[in-house]
Amino acid sequence: MIVRSIVGKLWVTVVAFTVVVLIVFSSLLSQFVSGFLLNKELEDLVILARSAAQVLLSAADREQGRTLTELRSVIEETKDRRLYLVFGPETPELPQGLRPIAASAEFRPVWSGESVKLRTTYEEGEKRIPVLVVASGAAVPAGKGAVLILEP
């Protein structure tokens, strides 16, 4: 009965148009918020990596191992993060799946002391795992290297 009247057709048209507009705007807002949160998380990881590099740099040589262990425990206890201290793409401490990332052209600025943030995937066994990788190059006590933080 409503569909047969002009007012009913107008009402259905307005409701349908409103639903379509809300779906489009919610999709755009979802993409914006997702991108914003990802960038915020990457910036927080960069700050964390730089801070970890500064802590390691300020630690005395005999205390560096203990400091690294404490840093790992603090960083890795939250959000399933992993901390690596690397001195080149082929560092033995770096898992096999991360070595191609460390050897990539995108990662090269790290070895000259800069910071890099990547959203990528790496292989662990047969699985491809999406991760956020942040590295901060620094003159760590054992030589020129980088602090690498990985967050799945």
Side-chain angles (χ1 to χ4, degrees):
M1 189 71 158
I2 291 179
V3 179
R4 291 186 182 175
S5 70
I6 296 288
V7 174
K9 290 178 183 175
L10 183 61
W11 183 80
V12 168
T13 304
V14 168
V15 168
F17 181 71
T18 303
V19 167
V20 168
V21 167
L22 287 174
I23 288 172
V24 169
F25 281 153
S26 66
S27 173
L28 292 173
L29 184 62
S30 172
Q31 289 177 359
F32 172 75
V33 169
S34 175
F36 173 78
L37 292 175
L38 176 66
N39 285 337
K40 181 67 176 150
E41 184 68 25
L42 283 171
E43 289 300 321
D44 289 346
L45 286 175
V46 167
I47 291 169
L48 186 61
R50 286 182 184 155
S51 299
Q54 288 298 326
V55 167
L56 284 172
L57 188 59
S58 65
D61 286 340
R62 64 187 183 293
E63 296 179 3
Q64 186 196 6
R66 188 171 58 108
T67 304
L68 181 61
T69 304
E70 290 173 3
L71 270 174
R72 274 201 174 113
S73 67
V74 168
I75 290 174
E76 293 177 358
E77 75 182 20
T78 59
K79 295 189 178 183
D80 196 29
R81 293 177 176 154
R82 288 181 240 160
L83 174 79
Y84 299 101
L85 183 60
V86 295
F87 298 102
E90 297 299 322
T91 301
E93 293 84 23
L94 204 56
Q96 194 67 29
L98 288 176
R99 290 180 186 173
I101 296 170
S104 70
E106 299 162 325
F107 206 81
R108 202 167 291 135
V110 171
W111 308 123
S112 61
E114 297 178 29
S115 293
V116 169
K117 48 188 176 182
L118 303 170
R119 183 179 184 187
T120 186
T121 60
Y122 83 99
E123 292 184 22
E124 189 174 87
E126 295 294 320
K127 299 184 290 185
R128 292 192 61 77
I129 301 172
V131 291
L132 300 176
V133 178
V134 172
S136 180
V140 292
K144 194 146 185 99
V147 172
L148 187 136
I149 299 178
L150 177 78
E151 182 176 315

